[in-house]
Amino acid sequence: MELDESLPRREFMKAAVAAGGASALSACLGRAPRAGDPVPEGVSDPSELPQRQHAWNDRVRADADGNVQLPRHQTFLYLTLDGSGPPGEDARETVAAALRTLDRAYERSNEGLVYSIAYSPSYFDRFDADLPDSIDLPEPRRLSGFENPTFDTQDALLHLASDRGDVVLEAEEAMFGDRSEANGIAVRDRLGDALTVDDRRTAFIGPGMPAERQSQGGEPISGIPDSLPVPGGSPLFMGFEAGFAGNQATEDYVTIREGPFADGTTKHVANLRQRLGDWYDEQSFEERVMEMFSPSHAEQGLVEGVGANLGADSGVDEFLDPETIRQSIAEHGRVGHAQKAARANRDEAGNVRILRRHVESTDDDVASLHFPSLQRRISTFEEVREAMNGDDLTDNPAIRQRVNNGILEYIFVQHRGNFLVPPRRHRALPTPRPA
């Protein structure tokens, strides 16, 4: 692999994480923005860590409004288990030991490494026994009449995240390459001794990062118009903030409460290609606000710039009343993405039901989005996605399957996968009904 040494350091790091491998790690160690700074070490006794693998929020940064700031560099490794049938005890012990190495090597934080390993319905099909009835983990499926994704049915998904690209690369090389140490901790057991990487996808998030990455060598990447319009302060390609604390489920809410997988959760991950020519070149800022949030947001001037002025809550709950939505469609001929989805993303008490942790990607020089969501039941995500489709609103001729229907005109689902994120005590190749 050859990396362009003339790239600015942040772009160089992105290119290194996207390329992966031992040579990318070696190349980036001398160019990383904080190369030479020590990486905080993990725990000497991993049993001290919390059972919830998805408990990231109090381990990473938050902005002044309390909105969680996800780690800037992320990698999704889709893994297959060697052989057929259920895993043996040797493989289980290898995976357990390998994960303990990561726990000892890196502080569980954005300065170190946060990660989780999750398992698919196909993995649990290897066993004769079924998952408990309390676990809602169906195979992935089409969730609209206008998508045709490839389903991710690999056995497992390892999700690595850190503010430091060199940490993500080193952890990956320690688990699947030939690196003998991870942050100074000897590596004896590797995930690669039991699992094979079937697919590798990379991601990033943070103000300025999408704008920096909207072109390669001065040419826009696929999906970005020639005008290179992504605002410099936006954390996402579509130009707005997301993940406001008031519009996210809490980690407690999405945690499975009972049974052998108590303290776990379920994870849906979609990969969506973005085509933003019409989004930026044919629409005004007010029209983008209408389709991202709601027409009322534009009408009342609630969003400034990328939306940082909204603080900790987008305010979308004020505009979910069916009569308000119908009236907005009649007046503006559009409906907002956030207001459509939120209709199904609240329980009877008004609690938000899913926790979204979406991040951007330029894998293969294409503008895309990785959309992991956490919820107690996969069916909850499917209900929210159905509301986002807005099929019930297309009786007004202004709203069509994709046009004027939130952001559906600009996103195209490429992959979908469902996974169970077990509690830490069962994270190493679990059986469907662990003791």
Side-chain angles (χ1 to χ4, degrees), residues 256-267:
I256 294 169
R257 309 291 175 83
E258 300 175 342
F261 293 107
D263 288 323
T265 189
T266 71
K267 186 173 190 171

Side-chain angles (χ1 to χ4, degrees), residues 41 47 67 72 90 127 131 185 198 231 237-238 280 299 332 339 341 350 382 397 420:
E41 297 177 357
S47 66
N67 300 312
R72 293 187 177 92
D90 288 350
F127 299 85
L131 285 164
I185 300 295
D198 178 77
F237 278 125
M238 297 198 79
Y280 280 112
E299 197 172 52
H332 302 284
Q339 71 178 151
E382 294 181 346
L420 172 66

Side-chain angles (χ1 to χ4, degrees), residues 65-351:
D65 296 306
N67 300 312
V68 168
Q69 305 292 289
L70 292 171
R72 293 187 177 92
H73 299 280
Q74 303 195 18
T75 301
F76 299 83
L77 298 172
Y78 290 80
L79 309 174
T80 56
L81 184 64
D82 298 342
S84 59
E89 193 57 34
D90 288 350
R92 185 168 293 115
E93 291 177 358
T94 296
V95 170
L99 297 176
R100 286 196 297 271
T101 297
L102 291 181
D103 293 336
R104 293 190 176 101
Y106 305 105
E107 179 183 81
R108 185 163 294 195
S109 73
N110 57 292
E111 295 291 326
L113 179 74
V114 289
Y115 75 95
S116 67
I117 187 166
Y119 298 90
S120 70
S122 296
Y123 166 79
F124 288 107
D125 284 344
R126 290 172 172 269
F127 299 85
D128 291 333
D130 295 328
L131 285 164
D133 292 340
S134 58
I135 301 300
D136 179 53
L137 186 72
E139 293 283 355
R141 64 186 181 91
R142 294 176 67 194
L143 296 179
S144 74
F146 49 86
E147 68 175 26
N148 189 27
T150 299
F151 298 126
D152 286 314
T153 58
Q154 300 91 340
D155 288 294
L157 171 61
L158 179 67
H159 184 176
L160 305 172
S162 175
D163 277 346
R164 296 185 56 163
D166 52 337
V167 168
V168 173
L169 280 172
E170 185 186 63
E172 181 182 348
E173 277 303 294
M175 291 295 99
F176 296 98
D178 57 3
R179 193 167 180 81
S180 60
E181 289 187 349
N183 200 25
I185 300 295
V187 177
R188 296 186 175 85
D189 295 280
R190 307 172 194 276
L191 291 179
D193 294 334
L195 296 153
T196 299
V197 177
D198 178 77
D199 201 0
R200 179 181 187 275
R201 303 168 194 170
T202 66
F204 57 87
I205 189 168
M209 298 179 82
E212 291 174 355
R213 291 154 174 75
Q214 63 184 319
S215 65
Q216 297 284 0
E219 295 295 323
I221 63 171
S222 181
I224 299 293
D226 292 344
S227 55
L228 301 179
V230 179
S234 176
L236 298 165
F237 278 125
M238 297 198 79
F240 295 109
E241 299 264 5
F244 299 98
N247 309 113
Q248 290 273 58
T250 65
E251 289 176 342
D252 278 343
Y253 191 90
V254 304
T255 298
I256 294 169
R257 309 291 175 83
E258 300 175 342
F261 293 107
D263 288 323
T265 189
T266 71
K267 186 173 190 171
H268 175 89
V269 186
N271 172 242
L272 301 87
R273 179 171 184 165
Q274 299 177 75
R275 294 177 185 167
L276 303 179
D278 291 349
W279 175 251
Y280 280 112
D281 288 348
E282 295 189 1
Q283 299 205 106
S284 66
F285 173 79
E286 288 73 20
E287 290 169 330
R288 293 199 295 274
V289 170
M290 287 186 194
E291 293 194 349
M292 178 60 75
F293 297 95
S294 79
S296 298
H297 278 72
E299 197 172 52
Q300 299 180 25
L302 299 180
V303 182
E304 300 172 5
V306 301
N309 67 297
L310 293 169
D313 196 315
S314 71
V316 72
D317 288 64
E318 298 296 319
F319 310 113
L320 304 185
D321 177 76
E323 184 59 30
T324 299
I325 293 175
R326 293 286 178 184
Q327 185 176 347
S328 290
I329 293 174
E331 293 179 3
H332 302 284
R334 299 168 192 266
V335 62
H337 161 72
Q339 71 178 151
K340 278 186 305 172
R343 296 177 300 165
N345 196 16
R346 305 291 186 271
D347 67 13
E348 292 181 353
N351 299 302

